[in-house]
Amino acid sequence: MGSGQALHKRALLGSGSGSAWALSYSLIMRFFRRKIAVVVVLAYVFFSLYAAYSVFFSRKVVSRVHRVVKKGSADNSKAAEEEWNPWEEEERAESITVLQKRREAYRSYQERIAKSRPKRYKVQILGKAAIGLYLWEHILEGPLNPTDKTGQWREGEIQSGKINFSFYTGPAVVQGHVPLDTDSVVLVLNGREQQKISYSIQWLQHVQALVQAHTISRVAVVLLGSEQCTNDWISPYLKRQGGFVDLLFLVYDSPWVNDKDVFQWPLGVATYRHFPVVTPNTQMVSSARPYICNFLGTVYKNSSRESLMGILKQNGLEKECLTNAREKWLPQETADTSRQYQMALAQSDLTLCPVGVNTECYRLYEACAYGSVPVVEDVLTPGACADGRSSPLRLLKDAGAPFIFLKDWKELPAILEKERVMSQAEKTERRMRLLEWYTGFRQQMKDKFTEVLEEAFFKLS
């Protein structure tokens, strides 16, 4: 064998050992890569489990100690300040306290307003007599809807003092069909004649049943009483006689009046004849009137009215005084007779008021409404309507009514002679004084009515 062949053999031997080394190296590297992959996978799994535990199972504790931040990480410091404020709980508690104080102050303010606001009480008036309209429209000055005077059902509301009054009237206001929104009721009744008394008793018995059922607890009655002051039929219903009526407002000079539970009430105008609420104006006060006096009414045989007409005729006063006498009393007015009567009042300086069955009559109040001074026959009529020296017309006299009083119609010519020489300025001043008195009288009755109910019903004194 030559030297070339020997070299070739060494080369082949060298080449075999290199391949074995390379194979060993490859196996070793593959083993390490697997180890590294396993480690990486285990690390990933470990950190995943740790992260899940931190999120779902660990409790976050906020320390009140300031975080240490590297000087160069200004952004990290700003973020840290936004995420956490060591005084946050104190500030929140303080804001809640301030809010509570504001709410308490507002609540206290509302309570003070409620206490300072006057308390209102409700009283319901059932007008089952024509004088109820005088009480409501002329005294209390309340509205009525509908305005049609022939309405079957009319109602209104008004405030007086601490009372909210509601009023119901009309033929359709019947027992058991009136909505009661209060336990305090005023019943307006007519007791002038037996038929009216029977109807009034039915209403009283109805209200008594409501009292016994505890639907109503306080009751007052405004009564157009007998012209002879014989009102014994209502006595058993008064509380002082064991009944349920707390207060009685009674027309005419009854000796029952004591200003404790029985009070005198004015007759007023003839609302059953639709006498209106008259509003004075400048012309009514200051204009000259063509007649000295007037008398339009029924003249009964052998009465003072017959004497009055005789005196007017004997002294030639029929031309100066507007008169229209009739022999029979008519309960209803026509539109024409109503207009004539009101025109007579408005065109006369004086209105002659002779007595009828009672000294107090509608004419007194109707003359006042038009500023025509009543000339009143100041004598007692038969019956029990007398109490004290001021009767008759005790209520009007006590209120200082600026009327002309006489005891006999023979005094009339001298009175009319004074009228002839009186200047227009003097008549205007007297007329104004009468209108002001009548306005004040109605206000006085309104105040008295309200105050009596407040004290008796609600103990406000």
Side-chain angles (χ1 to χ4, degrees):
M1 174 180 304
S3 58
Q5 292 179 344
L7 290 171
H8 179 68
K9 187 176 182 180
R10 288 193 196 103
L12 289 175
L13 290 173
S15 174
S17 63
S19 297
W21 182 85
L23 179 59
S24 300
Y25 178 80
S26 176
L27 291 173
I28 292 170
M29 292 304 294
R30 189 178 300 170
F31 174 78
F32 279 110
R33 281 197 297 270
R34 287 180 179 176
K35 288 287 186 179
I36 293 172
V38 170
V39 170
V40 170
V41 170
L42 290 175
Y44 176 81
V45 172
F46 173 80
F47 283 110
S48 297
L49 293 174
Y50 177 78
Y53 173 81
S54 299
V55 171
F56 296 106
F57 299 101
S58 67
R59 294 183 179 178
K60 185 176 180 181
V61 180
V62 179
S63 174
R64 292 180 178 270
V65 181
H66 290 283
R67 295 182 179 181
V68 179
V69 184
K70 291 183 179 181
K71 295 182 179 180
S73 46
D75 294 338
N76 293 338
S77 175
K78 183 177 181 181
E81 290 177 359
E82 292 177 353
E83 291 177 0
W84 182 76
N85 182 356
W87 295 283
E88 184 176 0
E89 292 183 6
E90 287 87 345
E91 292 174 355
R92 185 181 295 111
E94 183 178 354
S95 64
I96 292 174
T97 302
V98 171
L99 182 60
Q100 288 177 342
K101 288 182 178 179
R102 289 178 180 175
R103 287 177 178 173
E104 290 174 0
Y106 181 72
R107 191 179 300 111
S108 176
Y109 171 71
Q110 292 289 80
E111 290 175 354
R112 287 198 303 271
I113 291 179
K115 289 180 180 179
S116 62
R117 186 184 298 117
K119 185 176 181 180
R120 314 295 310 182
Y121 301 88
K122 288 185 177 182
V123 172
Q124 193 164 336
I125 304 174
L126 305 179
K128 296 311 300 176
I131 59 168
L133 291 174
Y134 185 70
L135 164 63
W136 184 253
E137 294 188 297
H138 296 252
I139 300 295
L140 295 178
E141 299 179 297
L144 269 181
N145 294 305
T147 57
D148 181 10
K149 296 182 183 298
T150 62
Q152 294 295 300
W153 179 287
R154 305 176 72 195
E155 61 184 78
E157 293 184 356
I158 197 172
Q159 293 182 0
S160 178
K162 295 181 180 180
I163 298 179
N164 289 340
F165 286 105
S166 59
F167 181 76
Y168 297 89
T169 191
V173 178
V174 296
Q175 299 163 18
H177 293 276
V178 181
L180 289 172
D181 60 353
T182 176
D183 61 353
S184 303
V185 171
V186 176
L187 193 58
V188 185
L189 301 173
N190 189 334
R192 259 195 179 177
E193 56 189 46
Q194 190 56 48
Q195 184 179 0
K196 301 291 187 182
I197 291 173
S198 298
Y199 182 71
S200 296
I201 288 175
Q202 292 177 15
W203 268 98
L204 285 168
Q205 291 174 343
H206 171 67
V207 172
Q208 184 177 29
L210 296 176
V211 171
Q212 292 171 347
H214 304 290
T215 303
I216 293 176
S217 59
R218 293 174 285 267
V219 180
V221 172
V222 177
L223 178 65
L224 175 57
S226 161
E227 291 177 282
Q228 292 82 24
C229 292
T230 53
N231 304 300
D232 293 342
W233 62 272
I234 199 174
S235 182
Y237 297 98
L238 302 182
K239 184 160 284 188
R240 63 179 176 179
Q241 299 294 334
F244 62 92
V245 176
D246 300 275
L247 300 170
L248 176 63
F249 296 87
L250 186 59
V251 176
Y252 302 123
D253 287 21
S254 170
W256 290 7
V257 173
N258 57 15
D259 289 332
K260 295 179 181 178
D261 63 337
V262 181
F263 300 83
Q264 189 165 349
W265 191 252
L267 174 63
V269 302
T271 54
Y272 72 96
R273 291 183 174 180
H274 305 306
F275 191 89
V277 177
V278 181
T279 303
N281 54 46
T282 304
Q283 183 178 4
M284 181 188 295
V285 174
S286 60
S287 64
R289 300 190 176 187
Y291 298 100
I292 294 179
C293 65
N294 78 82
F295 174 72
L296 280 69
T298 306
V299 177
Y300 306 100
K301 290 291 184 181
N302 302 318
S303 68
S304 65
R305 296 188 177 193
E306 193 173 50
S307 301
L308 168 61
M309 296 305 295
I311 290 172
L312 290 174
K313 186 175 182 180
Q314 290 172 8
N315 291 272
L317 300 173
E318 291 176 308
K319 294 182 179 179
E320 293 179 285
C321 291
L322 182 61
T323 60
N324 185 2
R326 59 194 179 202
E327 295 182 357
K328 186 177 180 180
W329 178 75
L330 299 175
Q332 298 297 329
E333 294 275 8
T334 66
D336 288 338
T337 57
S338 179
R339 184 165 51 252
Q340 290 172 7
Y341 175 61
Q342 293 177 43
M343 187 177 296
L345 297 174
Q347 293 182 346
S348 305
D349 291 315
L350 306 177
T351 293
L352 307 181
C353 301
V355 298
V357 181
N358 192 285
T359 309
E360 187 173 4
C361 61
Y362 297 115
R363 194 187 316 273
L364 295 171
Y365 301 91
E366 293 163 350
C368 289
Y370 277 98
S372 182
V373 179
V375 180
V376 183
E377 185 179 6
D378 188 15
V379 296
L380 285 170
T381 52
C385 297
D387 186 34
R389 295 181 179 180
S390 59
S391 292
L393 307 177
R394 174 181 55 198
L395 181 64
L396 296 172
K397 289 177 180 177
D398 289 348
F403 300 168
I404 297 173
F405 295 95
L406 50 77
K407 294 293 184 181
D408 194 300
W409 286 112
K410 294 178 181 179
E411 303 173 33
L412 182 60
I415 292 172
L416 297 184
E417 186 62 33
K418 292 181 179 179
E419 288 294 312
R420 293 189 185 96
V421 298
M422 185 178 290
S423 68
Q424 182 58 41
E426 290 174 321
K427 291 181 178 180
T428 298
E429 183 179 352
R430 182 182 63 181
R431 197 177 303 158
M432 184 179 300
R433 187 165 61 250
L434 175 64
L435 290 168
E436 289 176 348
W437 173 84
Y438 185 52
T439 299
F441 171 75
R442 287 178 293 161
Q443 183 64 49
Q444 178 183 345
M445 296 310 302
K446 177 181 180 179
D447 294 342
K448 182 176 181 179
F449 182 74
T450 304
E451 290 169 3
V452 168
L453 290 179
E454 286 178 347
E455 182 176 353
F457 281 9
F458 312 112
K459 309 303 179 186
L460 303 177
S461 59

